Amino acid sequence: MLSRKQSNELSQRVISVLSKERLSKCSKIQIQWMDRLIDQSLEKVDNDPNQITNEMIVGIYEMVTEHLQPYDF
């Protein structure tokens, strides 16, 4: 489990990588999917948020918005 500081830093990085504008267009379900996938990614790297790359964040976003829960769904 991440500390509050680590969680906030990761959240800010996600916002920085994806932009507030792009995230604001996501539905509640899409955000929940992204949270789950980031949590799964964190488990794979022993909860080290520094190992979550910007490319992984973009990949999770694309997986959710293009495949799991597309905007036009």
Side-chain angles (χ1 to χ4, degrees):
M1 179 166 236
L2 299 181
S3 70
R4 181 178 291 255
K5 180 182 176 189
Q6 289 174 312
S7 181
N8 287 338
E9 288 173 353
L10 182 56
S11 294
Q12 288 304 313
R13 208 163 96 235
V14 168
I15 292 168
S16 173
V17 169
L18 297 177
S19 84
K20 284 184 181 182
E21 181 182 339
R22 193 186 297 181
L23 288 169
S24 70
K25 294 177 183 177
C26 293
S27 69
K28 184 177 178 179
I29 293 171
Q30 288 172 321
I31 297 292
Q32 289 171 346
W33 269 109
M34 285 186 268
D35 283 344
R36 283 186 217 146
L37 292 174
I38 288 175
D39 285 345
Q40 287 176 3
S41 296
L42 281 167
E43 286 177 16
K44 291 178 182 176
V45 295
D46 297 324
N47 287 317
D48 182 0
N50 295 320
Q51 291 192 40
I52 302 297
T53 65
N54 293 351
E55 291 80 10
M56 290 170 73
I57 293 169
V58 171
I60 288 169
Y61 171 82
E62 290 174 350
M63 184 183 306
V64 170
T65 60
E66 295 174 15
H67 302 286
L68 297 174
Q69 190 70 39
Y71 286 115
D72 60 351
F73 187 86

